[in-house]
Amino acid sequence: MSTPLAEVLEGQRAAEVSRAARALLKRPLLLARGPYEEEFRLVRRHASELREWFERNTGWAVQVDGEAARLRKTPGRLDDAGHPAREATRGGAPFTRRRYVLLCLALAALERGEAQIALGRLAEHIVVDAADSQLVDAGIKFTLEWRDERLDLAAVVRVLLDLGVLRRVAGDEEAYVSGAGDVLYDVERRVLAGLLAARRGPSTVRATDPHERLVELTSDSALDTEEARFTAIRRHLTRRLIDDPVLYYDELGDAELAYLTKQRPFILARITELTGLIAEVRAEGIAMVDPADDLTDVRMPEQGTHGHVTLLLAEHLAAAGTAVPVDGLRRRVRELAVEHAGVWSKSAKQPGAETELVEQALAKLDALGLITRTPQGAAPRPALARYAVGETVVREPRKANHR
């Protein structure tokens, strides 16, 4: 029988493992030095337990050495564009296609390079690699002679600085962008080597279609037994529940829905035990709610004009109960700008500002699984009902039915 002291120690250990898991989920690459060194030490202390849990339940590998801890996450959905990379600044803009290509070219150049590199030299390598015939045929061209191209490269470098792949030794990116100077970096090669998160090496993938390549990069090994198929389903569902704001039953295949119906209590209990996320089970799906509100990259509601616009459009869409065209949403924002003229920012009240305000709001609502984007506008999803204004209707949760 456990003694009170043993119970206390076990509780402390479980709390530490949970904090370590949350640290990895929040930031899948932790460095031994820098602002996250305390989290790194916690992950390193409990590396074996974390490694076993994530491998069994999600298929994500945990790698820890003396310099870094890496959770090699692969997404539960390959068609989700709602969580793009962003420049490592407050309110950083989402990466464009050009920035993603620049990021890949920069990583390739750094992999071949030395322990130190100047930004100007990195740019030269990128220009040479971008001349590859396949990139040219795809319409990709970089000269880095134009300011907007250099701004994109600077944004990529700041992401690599934030990840710890690069450490600034001298200079700053603004000087490079303006053509007034250069920047020198140390290259953390072991961190660089740990960036790629894939179930297999890219060089072994034969598919040419981008989506098919992603499927091959992230899929489990051959599912030639019933146990292997069930393991793949459990991992997929757990990844979705941990990563996605809402898991809707209508997004699942028949086999996945049947498995979730039978194994839901077990899966949810395992996630809650490790992460502290609390399951909210409704008729249409499941959301894992974070009481601490720090395991998300998209928050709602938020303060400020953009946050207010998003919340008010959420109420509008929830009340509509059906798809609303973009023109109707823009018209509604123009009306709201008059109604809230005293609290909204000056720029939000300018003619034409509603276009950007609506787009930013829809991007956030889509990322949170609250709407579906349509060619004409947006349609509400069930979880958006919590933002409806009016009489509250309490619905009993039900199990997912195999259809």
Side-chain angles (χ1 to χ4, degrees):
M1 186 173 181
S2 299
T3 66
L5 177 59
E7 292 176 358
V8 169
L9 293 176
E10 175 59 24
Q12 290 177 343
R13 184 205 62 80
E16 281 195 355
V17 173
S18 180
R19 288 191 354 247
R22 289 175 63 89
L24 276 177
L25 289 171
K26 187 174 181 180
R27 192 174 179 88
L29 178 58
L30 297 168
L31 304 185
R33 57 182 175 181
Y36 301 99
E37 57 184 285
E38 181 179 347
E39 288 86 349
F40 166 80
R41 288 196 298 269
L42 198 60
V43 169
R44 192 177 187 190
R45 186 182 309 152
H46 299 285
S48 60
E49 293 170 89
L50 295 168
R51 190 177 294 116
E52 189 278 333
W53 194 97
F54 280 110
E55 173 60 28
R56 173 176 172 76
N57 293 284
T58 65
W60 296 337
V62 175
Q63 294 185 328
V64 183
D65 58 31
E67 296 183 16
R70 177 75 164 108
L71 175 62
R72 293 181 178 273
K73 293 178 63 178
T74 52
R77 288 177 53 191
L78 300 178
D79 60 346
D80 180 10
H83 304 271
R86 294 179 180 273
E87 185 175 355
T89 57
R90 183 177 177 84
F95 265 34
T96 60
R97 178 172 181 260
R98 182 163 70 182
R99 288 188 178 185
Y100 278 119
V101 175
L102 274 173
L103 175 61
C104 293
L105 292 175
L107 290 171
L110 292 172
E111 182 65 31
R112 299 191 306 266
E114 303 298 330
Q116 281 193 331
I117 192 167
L119 182 49
R121 182 61 174 162
L122 177 61
E124 292 173 3
H125 287 306
I126 289 173
V127 170
V128 172
D129 291 344
D132 180 273
S133 59
Q134 291 186 354
L135 293 177
V136 173
D137 292 343
I140 296 167
K141 180 182 179 181
F142 293 117
T143 64
L144 295 176
E145 296 176 355
W146 303 100
R147 178 180 172 83
D148 61 342
E149 288 188 340
R150 295 198 299 273
L151 281 169
D152 282 340
L153 180 56
V156 165
V157 165
R158 291 190 183 106
V159 168
L160 296 177
L161 286 165
D162 180 64
L163 290 171
V165 174
L166 298 176
R167 285 197 304 117
R168 192 185 293 110
V169 177
D172 64 80
E173 291 75 37
E174 291 302 324
Y176 166 78
V177 170
S178 64
D182 208 339
V183 197
L184 180 65
Y185 306 102
D186 284 336
V187 181
E188 301 293 342
R189 304 201 63 78
R190 295 188 67 173
V191 179
L192 172 64
L195 278 189
L196 184 64
R199 303 292 291 179
R200 56 187 294 186
S203 62
T204 67
V205 175
R206 301 303 177 204
T208 56
D209 177 78
H211 180 74
E212 292 178 2
R213 287 185 63 84
L214 283 175
V215 170
E216 291 192 31
L217 280 169
T218 58
S219 61
D220 291 309
S221 55
L223 306 178
D224 50 6
T225 68
E226 187 174 57
E227 182 180 358
R229 288 190 289 272
F230 284 154
T231 297
I233 290 174
R234 183 181 69 249
R235 288 173 169 176
H236 174 72
L237 291 172
T238 305
R239 289 196 296 264
R240 292 288 306 274
L241 287 164
I242 289 176
D243 257 4
D244 294 354
V246 185
L247 173 62
Y248 290 106
Y249 299 139
D250 62 10
E251 297 174 338
L252 302 177
D254 289 344
E256 293 171 330
L257 189 58
Y259 186 90
L260 181 59
T261 299
K262 295 178 180 178
Q263 300 295 327
R264 187 181 72 193
F266 171 77
I267 293 174
L268 298 183
R270 293 281 287 175
I271 294 174
T272 298
E273 180 184 15
L274 181 76
T275 67
L277 298 174
I278 305 298
E280 184 177 294
V281 182
R282 296 298 178 101
E284 301 85 5
I286 304 171
M288 300 302 297
V289 180
D290 181 20
D293 191 33
D294 67 352
L295 284 186
T296 181
D297 59 340
V298 182
R299 284 183 169 82
M300 182 175 169
E302 280 189 320
Q303 295 182 343
T305 299
H306 289 292
H308 195 199
V309 170
T310 302
L311 183 60
L312 293 174
L313 284 185
E315 294 176 354
H316 181 66
L317 283 163
T322 187
V324 178
V326 170
D327 286 345
L329 296 173
R330 291 171 180 167
R331 183 167 57 252
R332 179 57 181 157
V333 169
R334 288 195 294 269
E335 295 169 353
L336 291 168
V338 175
E339 183 179 344
H340 300 283
V343 293
W344 280 18
S345 65
K346 183 177 179 180
S347 61
K349 294 174 284 187
Q350 298 298 317
E354 66 274 6
T355 299
E356 181 182 355
L357 290 170
V358 167
E359 176 55 35
Q360 291 189 357
L362 294 184
K364 175 167 287 191
L365 295 174
D366 183 35
L368 290 170
L370 299 175
I371 64 166
T372 298
R373 302 291 292 265
T374 68
Q376 293 77 31
R381 299 223 65 184
L384 191 67
R386 67 173 55 204
Y387 296 98
V389 176
E391 183 179 357
T392 301
V393 178
V394 179
R395 302 180 64 185
E396 291 294 327
R398 64 173 175 84
K399 292 184 178 180
N401 293 318
H402 180 53
R403 294 175 295 217

